[in-house]
Amino acid sequence: MTTPFDKAPPKQKRGLFAGLRASFLTGIVVIAPIGLTAWLIWTVVGWIDGFVLPLVPYQLRPEQYIGINLRGVGVIIFLLFTIMVGWIAKGLIGRSLIRWAEHLVERTPVVRSIYGGVKQIAETVFAQSDTNFDRACLVEYPRRGIWAVGFISTKTKGEILDKGGAEDMTSVFVPTTPNPTSGFLLFFPTSDIIELDMGVEDAAKLVISAGLVYPNGDDAKKAIEEHVPDQAAE
């Protein structure tokens, strides 16, 4: 039995290999996010350059005048071209041309199916709206008592709402781990959805990290206990 007068056991000194290993792991934690982010940006910029620059006349390419191939020129050209197209499309002439082109596409059997699907996806993802995946939530999925992180999409409408068995329903996208770009579109009664205080970015980090990165975990637990007080008491 130890007493307050006993000497504390001396701390064991870590060996040289253990110290190097700890420093190496710390370096990996610092370098990996920076390196992967830089590599991803570099790769995406190169992919856009490789797609855009072949469409630009050779005489107009910057390397003709500076002698080197600057990475990112294709991205700048793509941004300027997209802004110009958007500006034209907002005008009367642009809207008329778009309606004429869409009418022509609708008369082409295979093309109209591809164009219609791509247009609907683009309008949903890039629509300038405040209701597209701007809130994270908790839902009981795939059964009661098991919770999943989801992203609130829109209010459910049409036939889904009429036959869903609830007066008010919400569309929720439940992503998969570690790839949040795939997942399931589910329709829940609005009363069964718990909105989270964490933002969409924090919720995405939680999904991607498989639960290793936990923003305001105490607040989320409190929200569940308030939503299901009977289960929390048990």
Side-chain angles (χ1 to χ4, degrees), residues 60-196:
L60 300 179
R61 298 182 188 178
E63 60 264 25
Q64 285 289 103
Y65 307 98
I66 60 179
I68 58 175
N69 184 13
L70 291 177
R71 206 175 189 93
V73 174
V75 175
I76 298 175
I77 295 175
F78 173 75
L79 292 176
L80 294 176
F81 176 76
T82 304
I83 293 173
M84 183 179 67
V85 170
W87 178 74
I88 294 175
K90 290 182 177 180
L92 179 61
I93 297 177
R95 290 197 300 268
S96 301
L97 289 175
I98 292 175
R99 283 196 296 266
W100 175 80
E102 289 182 343
H103 178 71
L104 185 64
V105 169
E106 288 176 357
R107 301 176 60 181
T108 308
V110 178
V111 177
R112 68 184 178 189
S113 300
I114 299 174
Y115 175 80
V118 173
K119 180 183 178 182
Q120 188 172 4
I121 294 174
E123 289 178 347
T124 302
V125 175
F126 297 105
Q128 296 179 359
S129 173
D130 295 334
T131 59
N132 292 329
F133 302 122
D134 63 337
R135 290 170 291 168
C137 67
L138 277 178
V139 292
E140 288 186 287
Y141 177 81
R143 64 172 177 82
R144 292 286 182 180
I146 296 180
W147 297 87
V149 175
F151 302 108
I152 296 177
S153 176
T154 57
K155 289 289 185 181
T156 306
K157 303 176 182 178
E159 185 179 3
I160 303 296
L161 178 61
D162 296 337
K163 298 183 178 180
E167 295 183 358
D168 188 14
M169 299 183 67
T170 302
S171 307
V172 177
F173 176 73
V174 178
T176 56
T177 300
N179 179 16
T181 59
S182 64
F184 306 94
L185 175 62
L186 306 174
F187 304 96
F188 292 91
T190 304
S191 59
D192 292 344
I193 298 174
I194 302 177
E195 291 192 25
L196 298 176

Side-chain angles (χ1 to χ4, degrees), residues 196-207:
L196 298 176
D197 293 331
M198 71 175 71
V200 174
E201 293 184 358
D202 290 335
K205 292 177 183 178
L206 176 62
V207 174

Side-chain angles (χ1 to χ4, degrees), residues 3-7:
T3 65
F5 302 99
D6 294 334
K7 293 183 178 180

